[in-house]
mmCIF file with all atom_site columns, all heavy atoms in Angstrom:
data_model
loop_
_atom_site.group_PDB
_atom_site.id
_atom_site.type_symbol
_atom_site.label_atom_id
_atom_site.label_alt_id
_atom_site.label_comp_id
_atom_site.label_asym_id
_atom_site.label_entity_id
_atom_site.label_seq_id
_atom_site.pdbx_PDB_ins_code
_atom_site.Cartn_x
_atom_site.Cartn_y
_atom_site.Cartn_z
_atom_site.occupancy
_atom_site.B_iso_or_equiv
_atom_site.pdbx_formal_charge
_atom_site.auth_seq_id
_atom_site.auth_comp_id
_atom_site.auth_asym_id
_atom_site.auth_atom_id
_atom_site.pdbx_PDB_model_num
ATOM 1   N N   . ASN A 1 1  ? 0.867   60.576 13.036 1.00 0.00 ? 1  ASN A N   1
ATOM 2   C CA  . ASN A 1 1  ? 0.357   61.901 13.725 1.00 0.00 ? 1  ASN A CA  1
ATOM 3   C C   . ASN A 1 1  ? 0.221   61.710 15.179 1.00 0.00 ? 1  ASN A C   1
ATOM 4   O O   . ASN A 1 1  ? -0.604  60.918 15.537 1.00 0.00 ? 1  ASN A O   1
ATOM 5   C CB  . ASN A 1 1  ? -0.867  62.431 13.099 1.00 0.00 ? 1  ASN A CB  1
ATOM 6   C CG  . ASN A 1 1  ? -0.748  62.996 11.670 1.00 0.00 ? 1  ASN A CG  1
ATOM 7   O OD1 . ASN A 1 1  ? 0.023   63.693 11.413 1.00 0.00 ? 1  ASN A OD1 1
ATOM 8   N ND2 . ASN A 1 1  ? -1.367  62.229 10.789 1.00 0.00 ? 1  ASN A ND2 1
ATOM 9   N N   . PRO A 1 2  ? 1.001   62.389 15.948 1.00 0.00 ? 2  PRO A N   1
ATOM 10  C CA  . PRO A 1 2  ? 0.837   62.239 17.425 1.00 0.00 ? 2  PRO A CA  1
ATOM 11  C C   . PRO A 1 2  ? -0.298  63.080 18.068 1.00 0.00 ? 2  PRO A C   1
ATOM 12  O O   . PRO A 1 2  ? -0.831  62.688 19.205 1.00 0.00 ? 2  PRO A O   1
ATOM 13  C CB  . PRO A 1 2  ? 2.079   62.790 17.937 1.00 0.00 ? 2  PRO A CB  1
ATOM 14  C CG  . PRO A 1 2  ? 2.457   63.807 16.994 1.00 0.00 ? 2  PRO A CG  1
ATOM 15  C CD  . PRO A 1 2  ? 1.996   63.415 15.684 1.00 0.00 ? 2  PRO A CD  1
ATOM 16  N N   . GLU A 1 3  ? -0.870  64.078 17.354 1.00 0.00 ? 3  GLU A N   1
ATOM 17  C CA  . GLU A 1 3  ? -1.926  64.905 17.893 1.00 0.00 ? 3  GLU A CA  1
ATOM 18  C C   . GLU A 1 3  ? -3.093  65.085 16.884 1.00 0.00 ? 3  GLU A C   1
ATOM 19  O O   . GLU A 1 3  ? -2.760  65.235 15.641 1.00 0.00 ? 3  GLU A O   1
ATOM 20  C CB  . GLU A 1 3  ? -1.422  66.174 18.363 1.00 0.00 ? 3  GLU A CB  1
ATOM 21  C CG  . GLU A 1 3  ? -0.473  66.103 19.592 1.00 0.00 ? 3  GLU A CG  1
ATOM 22  C CD  . GLU A 1 3  ? -0.021  67.392 20.065 1.00 0.00 ? 3  GLU A CD  1
ATOM 23  O OE1 . GLU A 1 3  ? -0.337  68.491 19.458 1.00 0.00 ? 3  GLU A OE1 1
ATOM 24  O OE2 . GLU A 1 3  ? 0.743   67.490 20.962 1.00 0.00 ? 3  GLU A OE2 1
ATOM 25  N N   . ALA A 1 4  ? -4.270  65.246 17.340 1.00 0.00 ? 4  ALA A N   1
ATOM 26  C CA  . ALA A 1 4  ? -5.426  65.587 16.467 1.00 0.00 ? 4  ALA A CA  1
ATOM 27  C C   . ALA A 1 4  ? -6.498  66.267 17.306 1.00 0.00 ? 4  ALA A C   1
ATOM 28  O O   . ALA A 1 4  ? -6.527  66.117 18.557 1.00 0.00 ? 4  ALA A O   1
ATOM 29  C CB  . ALA A 1 4  ? -5.971  64.297 15.779 1.00 0.00 ? 4  ALA A CB  1
ATOM 30  N N   . ALA A 1 5  ? -7.258  67.180 16.731 1.00 0.00 ? 5  ALA A N   1
ATOM 31  C CA  . ALA A 1 5  ? -8.387  67.722 17.477 1.00 0.00 ? 5  ALA A CA  1
ATOM 32  C C   . ALA A 1 5  ? -9.526  68.014 16.586 1.00 0.00 ? 5  ALA A C   1
ATOM 33  O O   . ALA A 1 5  ? -9.432  68.018 15.333 1.00 0.00 ? 5  ALA A O   1
ATOM 34  C CB  . ALA A 1 5  ? -7.808  69.103 18.002 1.00 0.00 ? 5  ALA A CB  1
ATOM 35  N N   . VAL A 1 6  ? -10.702 68.188 17.171 1.00 0.00 ? 6  VAL A N   1
ATOM 36  C CA  . VAL A 1 6  ? -11.923 68.477 16.442 1.00 0.00 ? 6  VAL A CA  1
ATOM 37  C C   . VAL A 1 6  ? -12.767 69.373 17.294 1.00 0.00 ? 6  VAL A C   1
ATOM 38  O O   . VAL A 1 6  ? -12.784 69.354 18.540 1.00 0.00 ? 6  VAL A O   1
ATOM 39  C CB  . VAL A 1 6  ? -12.733 67.086 16.130 1.00 0.00 ? 6  VAL A CB  1
ATOM 40  C CG1 . VAL A 1 6  ? -13.087 66.362 17.403 1.00 0.00 ? 6  VAL A CG1 1
ATOM 41  C CG2 . VAL A 1 6  ? -13.969 67.338 15.294 1.00 0.00 ? 6  VAL A CG2 1
ATOM 42  N N   . SER A 1 7  ? -13.521 70.271 16.598 1.00 0.00 ? 7  SER A N   1
ATOM 43  C CA  . SER A 1 7  ? -14.427 71.106 17.298 1.00 0.00 ? 7  SER A CA  1
ATOM 44  C C   . SER A 1 7  ? -15.904 70.951 16.752 1.00 0.00 ? 7  SER A C   1
ATOM 45  O O   . SER A 1 7  ? -16.097 70.574 15.668 1.00 0.00 ? 7  SER A O   1
ATOM 46  C CB  . SER A 1 7  ? -13.981 72.641 16.951 1.00 0.00 ? 7  SER A CB  1
ATOM 47  O OG  . SER A 1 7  ? -14.021 72.881 15.610 1.00 0.00 ? 7  SER A OG  1
ATOM 48  N N   . TYR A 1 8  ? -16.754 71.164 17.746 1.00 0.00 ? 8  TYR A N   1
ATOM 49  C CA  . TYR A 1 8  ? -18.171 71.150 17.411 1.00 0.00 ? 8  TYR A CA  1
ATOM 50  C C   . TYR A 1 8  ? -18.853 72.380 17.944 1.00 0.00 ? 8  TYR A C   1
ATOM 51  O O   . TYR A 1 8  ? -18.510 72.873 18.985 1.00 0.00 ? 8  TYR A O   1
ATOM 52  C CB  . TYR A 1 8  ? -18.852 69.786 18.194 1.00 0.00 ? 8  TYR A CB  1
ATOM 53  C CG  . TYR A 1 8  ? -18.581 68.551 17.536 1.00 0.00 ? 8  TYR A CG  1
ATOM 54  C CD1 . TYR A 1 8  ? -17.304 67.864 17.910 1.00 0.00 ? 8  TYR A CD1 1
ATOM 55  C CD2 . TYR A 1 8  ? -19.490 67.992 16.649 1.00 0.00 ? 8  TYR A CD2 1
ATOM 56  C CE1 . TYR A 1 8  ? -17.161 66.648 17.345 1.00 0.00 ? 8  TYR A CE1 1
ATOM 57  C CE2 . TYR A 1 8  ? -19.237 66.686 16.019 1.00 0.00 ? 8  TYR A CE2 1
ATOM 58  C CZ  . TYR A 1 8  ? -18.018 66.017 16.449 1.00 0.00 ? 8  TYR A CZ  1
ATOM 59  O OH  . TYR A 1 8  ? -17.758 64.812 15.855 1.00 0.00 ? 8  TYR A OH  1
ATOM 60  N N   . SER A 1 9  ? -19.957 72.738 17.182 1.00 0.00 ? 9  SER A N   1
ATOM 61  C CA  . SER A 1 9  ? -20.912 73.785 17.811 1.00 0.00 ? 9  SER A CA  1
ATOM 62  C C   . SER A 1 9  ? -22.047 73.096 18.283 1.00 0.00 ? 9  SER A C   1
ATOM 63  O O   . SER A 1 9  ? -22.704 72.200 17.629 1.00 0.00 ? 9  SER A O   1
ATOM 64  C CB  . SER A 1 9  ? -21.145 74.836 16.785 1.00 0.00 ? 9  SER A CB  1
ATOM 65  O OG  . SER A 1 9  ? -21.998 74.168 15.766 1.00 0.00 ? 9  SER A OG  1
ATOM 66  N N   . ILE A 1 10 ? -22.503 73.347 19.551 1.00 0.00 ? 10 ILE A N   1
ATOM 67  C CA  . ILE A 1 10 ? -23.745 72.797 20.135 1.00 0.00 ? 10 ILE A CA  1
ATOM 68  C C   . ILE A 1 10 ? -24.714 74.079 20.295 1.00 0.00 ? 10 ILE A C   1
ATOM 69  O O   . ILE A 1 10 ? -24.299 75.075 20.752 1.00 0.00 ? 10 ILE A O   1
ATOM 70  C CB  . ILE A 1 10 ? -23.359 72.300 21.557 1.00 0.00 ? 10 ILE A CB  1
ATOM 71  C CG1 . ILE A 1 10 ? -22.597 70.991 21.416 1.00 0.00 ? 10 ILE A CG1 1
ATOM 72  C CG2 . ILE A 1 10 ? -24.803 71.839 22.204 1.00 0.00 ? 10 ILE A CG2 1
ATOM 73  C CD1 . ILE A 1 10 ? -22.081 70.436 22.791 1.00 0.00 ? 10 ILE A CD1 1
ATOM 74  N N   . ARG A 1 11 ? -25.867 73.889 19.722 1.00 0.00 ? 11 ARG A N   1
ATOM 75  C CA  . ARG A 1 11 ? -26.905 74.952 19.880 1.00 0.00 ? 11 ARG A CA  1
ATOM 76  C C   . ARG A 1 11 ? -28.142 74.414 20.493 1.00 0.00 ? 11 ARG A C   1
ATOM 77  O O   . ARG A 1 11 ? -28.595 73.223 20.129 1.00 0.00 ? 11 ARG A O   1
ATOM 78  C CB  . ARG A 1 11 ? -27.218 75.588 18.482 1.00 0.00 ? 11 ARG A CB  1
ATOM 79  C CG  . ARG A 1 11 ? -26.004 76.192 17.946 1.00 0.00 ? 11 ARG A CG  1
ATOM 80  C CD  . ARG A 1 11 ? -26.489 76.881 16.516 1.00 0.00 ? 11 ARG A CD  1
ATOM 81  N NE  . ARG A 1 11 ? -25.252 77.399 15.809 1.00 0.00 ? 11 ARG A NE  1
ATOM 82  C CZ  . ARG A 1 11 ? -24.846 78.700 15.970 1.00 0.00 ? 11 ARG A CZ  1
ATOM 83  N NH1 . ARG A 1 11 ? -25.416 79.304 16.881 1.00 0.00 ? 11 ARG A NH1 1
ATOM 84  N NH2 . ARG A 1 11 ? -23.825 79.086 15.281 1.00 0.00 ? 11 ARG A NH2 1
ATOM 85  N N   . SER A 1 12 ? -28.774 74.982 21.399 1.00 0.00 ? 12 SER A N   1
ATOM 86  C CA  . SER A 1 12 ? -29.930 74.511 22.093 1.00 0.00 ? 12 SER A CA  1
ATOM 87  C C   . SER A 1 12 ? -30.840 75.683 22.701 1.00 0.00 ? 12 SER A C   1
ATOM 88  O O   . SER A 1 12 ? -30.220 76.531 23.361 1.00 0.00 ? 12 SER A O   1
ATOM 89  C CB  . SER A 1 12 ? -29.634 73.493 23.108 1.00 0.00 ? 12 SER A CB  1
ATOM 90  O OG  . SER A 1 12 ? -30.838 73.010 23.617 1.00 0.00 ? 12 SER A OG  1
ATOM 91  N N   . SER A 1 13 ? -32.173 75.564 22.456 1.00 0.00 ? 13 SER A N   1
ATOM 92  C CA  . SER A 1 13 ? -32.960 76.537 23.251 1.00 0.00 ? 13 SER A CA  1
ATOM 93  C C   . SER A 1 13 ? -33.532 75.923 24.504 1.00 0.00 ? 13 SER A C   1
ATOM 94  O O   . SER A 1 13 ? -34.479 76.433 25.081 1.00 0.00 ? 13 SER A O   1
ATOM 95  C CB  . SER A 1 13 ? -34.171 76.968 22.312 1.00 0.00 ? 13 SER A CB  1
ATOM 96  O OG  . SER A 1 13 ? -34.808 75.886 21.705 1.00 0.00 ? 13 SER A OG  1
ATOM 97  N N   . SER A 1 14 ? -32.891 74.741 24.804 1.00 0.00 ? 14 SER A N   1
ATOM 98  C CA  . SER A 1 14 ? -33.368 74.054 26.083 1.00 0.00 ? 14 SER A CA  1
ATOM 99  C C   . SER A 1 14 ? -32.175 73.645 26.799 1.00 0.00 ? 14 SER A C   1
ATOM 100 O O   . SER A 1 14 ? -31.289 72.879 26.313 1.00 0.00 ? 14 SER A O   1
ATOM 101 C CB  . SER A 1 14 ? -34.185 72.813 25.770 1.00 0.00 ? 14 SER A CB  1
ATOM 102 O OG  . SER A 1 14 ? -34.249 71.969 26.890 1.00 0.00 ? 14 SER A OG  1
ATOM 103 N N   . ARG A 1 15 ? -31.986 74.171 28.127 1.00 0.00 ? 15 ARG A N   1
ATOM 104 C CA  . ARG A 1 15 ? -30.776 73.968 28.757 1.00 0.00 ? 15 ARG A CA  1
ATOM 105 C C   . ARG A 1 15 ? -30.814 72.427 29.110 1.00 0.00 ? 15 ARG A C   1
ATOM 106 O O   . ARG A 1 15 ? -29.759 71.796 29.075 1.00 0.00 ? 15 ARG A O   1
ATOM 107 C CB  . ARG A 1 15 ? -30.770 74.726 30.077 1.00 0.00 ? 15 ARG A CB  1
ATOM 108 C CG  . ARG A 1 15 ? -29.697 74.460 31.108 1.00 0.00 ? 15 ARG A CG  1
ATOM 109 C CD  . ARG A 1 15 ? -28.412 75.072 30.633 1.00 0.00 ? 15 ARG A CD  1
ATOM 110 N NE  . ARG A 1 15 ? -28.384 76.543 30.765 1.00 0.00 ? 15 ARG A NE  1
ATOM 111 C CZ  . ARG A 1 15 ? -27.271 77.245 30.415 1.00 0.00 ? 15 ARG A CZ  1
ATOM 112 N NH1 . ARG A 1 15 ? -26.169 76.639 29.916 1.00 0.00 ? 15 ARG A NH1 1
ATOM 113 N NH2 . ARG A 1 15 ? -27.243 78.591 30.487 1.00 0.00 ? 15 ARG A NH2 1
ATOM 114 N N   . LYS A 1 16 ? -31.944 71.924 29.407 1.00 0.00 ? 16 LYS A N   1
ATOM 115 C CA  . LYS A 1 16 ? -32.082 70.400 29.817 1.00 0.00 ? 16 LYS A CA  1
ATOM 116 C C   . LYS A 1 16 ? -31.515 69.529 28.670 1.00 0.00 ? 16 LYS A C   1
ATOM 117 O O   . LYS A 1 16 ? -30.692 68.748 28.812 1.00 0.00 ? 16 LYS A O   1
ATOM 118 C CB  . LYS A 1 16 ? -33.451 69.966 30.158 1.00 0.00 ? 16 LYS A CB  1
ATOM 119 C CG  . LYS A 1 16 ? -33.650 68.617 30.577 1.00 0.00 ? 16 LYS A CG  1
ATOM 120 C CD  . LYS A 1 16 ? -35.072 68.274 30.811 1.00 0.00 ? 16 LYS A CD  1
ATOM 121 C CE  . LYS A 1 16 ? -35.356 66.712 31.097 1.00 0.00 ? 16 LYS A CE  1
ATOM 122 N NZ  . LYS A 1 16 ? -36.765 66.398 31.281 1.00 0.00 ? 16 LYS A NZ  1
ATOM 123 N N   . LYS A 1 17 ? -31.962 69.785 27.405 1.00 0.00 ? 17 LYS A N   1
ATOM 124 C CA  . LYS A 1 17 ? -31.567 69.019 26.284 1.00 0.00 ? 17 LYS A CA  1
ATOM 125 C C   . LYS A 1 17 ? -30.077 69.156 25.945 1.00 0.00 ? 17 LYS A C   1
ATOM 126 O O   . LYS A 1 17 ? -29.448 68.280 25.461 1.00 0.00 ? 17 LYS A O   1
ATOM 127 C CB  . LYS A 1 17 ? -32.471 69.234 25.148 1.00 0.00 ? 17 LYS A CB  1
ATOM 128 C CG  . LYS A 1 17 ? -33.895 68.863 25.169 1.00 0.00 ? 17 LYS A CG  1
ATOM 129 C CD  . LYS A 1 17 ? -33.946 67.254 25.464 1.00 0.00 ? 17 LYS A CD  1
ATOM 130 C CE  . LYS A 1 17 ? -35.374 66.802 25.675 1.00 0.00 ? 17 LYS A CE  1
ATOM 131 N NZ  . LYS A 1 17 ? -35.390 65.390 25.921 1.00 0.00 ? 17 LYS A NZ  1
ATOM 132 N N   . GLU A 1 18 ? -29.587 70.463 26.157 1.00 0.00 ? 18 GLU A N   1
ATOM 133 C CA  . GLU A 1 18 ? -28.194 70.668 25.903 1.00 0.00 ? 18 GLU A CA  1
ATOM 134 C C   . GLU A 1 18 ? -27.414 69.800 26.851 1.00 0.00 ? 18 GLU A C   1
ATOM 135 O O   . GLU A 1 18 ? -26.322 69.245 26.371 1.00 0.00 ? 18 GLU A O   1
ATOM 136 C CB  . GLU A 1 18 ? -27.877 72.162 26.054 1.00 0.00 ? 18 GLU A CB  1
ATOM 137 C CG  . GLU A 1 18 ? -26.412 72.324 25.850 1.00 0.00 ? 18 GLU A CG  1
ATOM 138 C CD  . GLU A 1 18 ? -25.991 73.859 25.808 1.00 0.00 ? 18 GLU A CD  1
ATOM 139 O OE1 . GLU A 1 18 ? -26.989 74.766 25.546 1.00 0.00 ? 18 GLU A OE1 1
ATOM 140 O OE2 . GLU A 1 18 ? -24.840 74.141 26.145 1.00 0.00 ? 18 GLU A OE2 1
ATOM 141 N N   . GLU A 1 19 ? -27.794 69.801 28.044 1.00 0.00 ? 19 GLU A N   1
ATOM 142 C CA  . GLU A 1 19 ? -27.036 68.994 29.082 1.00 0.00 ? 19 GLU A CA  1
ATOM 143 C C   . GLU A 1 19 ? -27.025 67.574 28.714 1.00 0.00 ? 19 GLU A C   1
ATOM 144 O O   . GLU A 1 19 ? -26.104 66.847 28.957 1.00 0.00 ? 19 GLU A O   1
ATOM 145 C CB  . GLU A 1 19 ? -27.522 69.253 30.522 1.00 0.00 ? 19 GLU A CB  1
ATOM 146 C CG  . GLU A 1 19 ? -27.338 70.670 30.974 1.00 0.00 ? 19 GLU A CG  1
ATOM 147 C CD  . GLU A 1 19 ? -25.817 70.913 30.976 1.00 0.00 ? 19 GLU A CD  1
ATOM 148 O OE1 . GLU A 1 19 ? -24.980 70.227 31.289 1.00 0.00 ? 19 GLU A OE1 1
ATOM 149 O OE2 . GLU A 1 19 ? -25.433 72.151 30.564 1.00 0.00 ? 19 GLU A OE2 1
ATOM 150 N N   . GLU A 1 20 ? -28.247 67.049 28.227 1.00 0.00 ? 20 GLU A N   1
ATOM 151 C CA  . GLU A 1 20 ? -28.294 65.604 27.761 1.00 0.00 ? 20 GLU A CA  1
ATOM 152 C C   . GLU A 1 20 ? -27.310 65.340 26.629 1.00 0.00 ? 20 GLU A C   1
ATOM 153 O O   . GLU A 1 20 ? -26.687 64.260 26.701 1.00 0.00 ? 20 GLU A O   1
ATOM 154 C CB  . GLU A 1 20 ? -29.739 65.298 27.311 1.00 0.00 ? 20 GLU A CB  1
ATOM 155 C CG  . GLU A 1 20 ? -30.725 65.273 28.489 1.00 0.00 ? 20 GLU A CG  1
ATOM 156 C CD  . GLU A 1 20 ? -32.120 64.927 28.041 1.00 0.00 ? 20 GLU A CD  1
ATOM 157 O OE1 . GLU A 1 20 ? -32.416 64.539 26.874 1.00 0.00 ? 20 GLU A OE1 1
ATOM 158 O OE2 . GLU A 1 20 ? -33.110 65.160 28.747 1.00 0.00 ? 20 GLU A OE2 1
ATOM 159 N N   . LEU A 1 21 ? -27.259 66.198 25.718 1.00 0.00 ? 21 LEU A N   1
ATOM 160 C CA  . LEU A 1 21 ? -26.371 65.994 24.568 1.00 0.00 ? 21 LEU A CA  1
ATOM 161 C C   . LEU A 1 21 ? -24.940 66.135 24.985 1.00 0.00 ? 21 LEU A C   1
ATOM 162 O O   . LEU A 1 21 ? -24.115 65.187 24.681 1.00 0.00 ? 21 LEU A O   1
ATOM 163 C CB  . LEU A 1 21 ? -26.546 67.204 23.538 1.00 0.00 ? 21 LEU A CB  1
ATOM 164 C CG  . LEU A 1 21 ? -25.520 67.327 22.393 1.00 0.00 ? 21 LEU A CG  1
ATOM 165 C CD1 . LEU A 1 21 ? -25.480 65.984 21.556 1.00 0.00 ? 21 LEU A CD1 1
ATOM 166 C CD2 . LEU A 1 21 ? -25.974 68.605 21.516 1.00 0.00 ? 21 LEU A CD2 1
ATOM 167 N N   . LYS A 1 22 ? -24.615 67.045 25.955 1.00 0.00 ? 22 LYS A N   1
ATOM 168 C CA  . LYS A 1 22 ? -23.167 67.052 26.364 1.00 0.00 ? 22 LYS A CA  1
ATOM 169 C C   . LYS A 1 22 ? -22.800 65.861 27.159 1.00 0.00 ? 22 LYS A C   1
ATOM 170 O O   . LYS A 1 22 ? -21.739 65.233 27.058 1.00 0.00 ? 22 LYS A O   1
ATOM 171 C CB  . LYS A 1 22 ? -23.023 68.304 27.143 1.00 0.00 ? 22 LYS A CB  1
ATOM 172 C CG  . LYS A 1 22 ? -22.990 69.534 26.499 1.00 0.00 ? 22 LYS A CG  1
ATOM 173 C CD  . LYS A 1 22 ? -23.237 70.854 27.302 1.00 0.00 ? 22 LYS A CD  1
ATOM 174 C CE  . LYS A 1 22 ? -22.192 71.191 28.227 1.00 0.00 ? 22 LYS A CE  1
ATOM 175 N NZ  . LYS A 1 22 ? -22.408 72.360 29.050 1.00 0.00 ? 22 LYS A NZ  1
ATOM 176 N N   . ALA A 1 23 ? -23.792 65.257 27.927 1.00 0.00 ? 23 ALA A N   1
ATOM 177 C CA  . ALA A 1 23 ? -23.495 64.062 28.754 1.00 0.00 ? 23 ALA A CA  1
ATOM 178 C C   . ALA A 1 23 ? -23.277 62.907 27.818 1.00 0.00 ? 23 ALA A C   1
ATOM 179 O O   . ALA A 1 23 ? -22.407 62.131 28.083 1.00 0.00 ? 23 ALA A O   1
ATOM 180 C CB  . ALA A 1 23 ? -24.681 63.790 29.717 1.00 0.00 ? 23 ALA A CB  1
ATOM 181 N N   . GLN A 1 24 ? -24.002 62.909 26.801 1.00 0.00 ? 24 GLN A N   1
ATOM 182 C CA  . GLN A 1 24 ? -23.825 61.735 25.776 1.00 0.00 ? 24 GLN A CA  1
ATOM 183 C C   . GLN A 1 24 ? -22.504 61.843 25.145 1.00 0.00 ? 24 GLN A C   1
ATOM 184 O O   . GLN A 1 24 ? -21.749 60.810 24.971 1.00 0.00 ? 24 GLN A O   1
ATOM 185 C CB  . GLN A 1 24 ? -24.983 61.747 24.679 1.00 0.00 ? 24 GLN A CB  1
ATOM 186 C CG  . GLN A 1 24 ? -24.809 60.546 23.668 1.00 0.00 ? 24 GLN A CG  1
ATOM 187 C CD  . GLN A 1 24 ? -25.960 60.684 22.637 1.00 0.00 ? 24 GLN A CD  1
ATOM 188 O OE1 . GLN A 1 24 ? -25.619 60.772 21.485 1.00 0.00 ? 24 GLN A OE1 1
ATOM 189 N NE2 . GLN A 1 24 ? -27.220 60.581 22.966 1.00 0.00 ? 24 GLN A NE2 1
ATOM 190 N N   . MET A 1 25 ? -22.045 63.069 24.794 1.00 0.00 ? 25 MET A N   1
ATOM 191 C CA  . MET A 1 25 ? -20.695 63.166 24.205 1.00 0.00 ? 25 MET A CA  1
ATOM 192 C C   . MET A 1 25 ? -19.604 62.885 25.120 1.00 0.00 ? 25 MET A C   1
ATOM 193 O O   . MET A 1 25 ? -18.743 62.222 24.725 1.00 0.00 ? 25 MET A O   1
ATOM 194 C CB  . MET A 1 25 ? -20.581 64.735 23.623 1.00 0.00 ? 25 MET A CB  1
ATOM 195 C CG  . MET A 1 25 ? -21.514 65.120 22.546 1.00 0.00 ? 25 MET A CG  1
ATOM 196 S SD  . MET A 1 25 ? -21.370 66.809 22.059 1.00 0.00 ? 25 MET A SD  1
ATOM 197 C CE  . MET A 1 25 ? -19.719 66.741 21.171 1.00 0.00 ? 25 MET A CE  1
ATOM 198 N N   . VAL A 1 26 ? -19.777 63.311 26.296 1.00 0.00 ? 26 VAL A N   1
ATOM 199 C CA  . VAL A 1 26 ? -18.843 63.011 27.345 1.00 0.00 ? 26 VAL A CA  1
ATOM 200 C C   . VAL A 1 26 ? -18.647 61.401 27.529 1.00 0.00 ? 26 VAL A C   1
ATOM 201 O O   . VAL A 1 26 ? -17.603 60.844 27.658 1.00 0.00 ? 26 VAL A O   1
ATOM 202 C CB  . VAL A 1 26 ? -19.080 63.668 28.692 1.00 0.00 ? 26 VAL A CB  1
ATOM 203 C CG1 . VAL A 1 26 ? -18.199 63.070 29.801 1.00 0.00 ? 26 VAL A CG1 1
ATOM 204 C CG2 . VAL A 1 26 ? -18.787 65.149 28.603 1.00 0.00 ? 26 VAL A CG2 1
#
């Protein structure tokens, strides 16, 4: 297989913690 993709839902009631999660994923 030459291509693959995955999707995630991120939910957060804290903008700060959401940015921390996104930074870790990146």
Side-chain angles (χ1 to χ4, degrees):
N1 293 299
E3 295 183 355
V6 61
S7 62
Y8 283 87
S9 67
I10 294 173
R11 298 182 184 273
S12 182
S13 53
S14 165
R15 179 74 74 180
K16 179 182 176 182
K17 290 299 177 182
E18 178 173 338
E19 291 304 318
E20 288 180 12
L21 170 58
K22 288 161 67 177
Q24 184 180 116
M25 294 177 74
V26 167

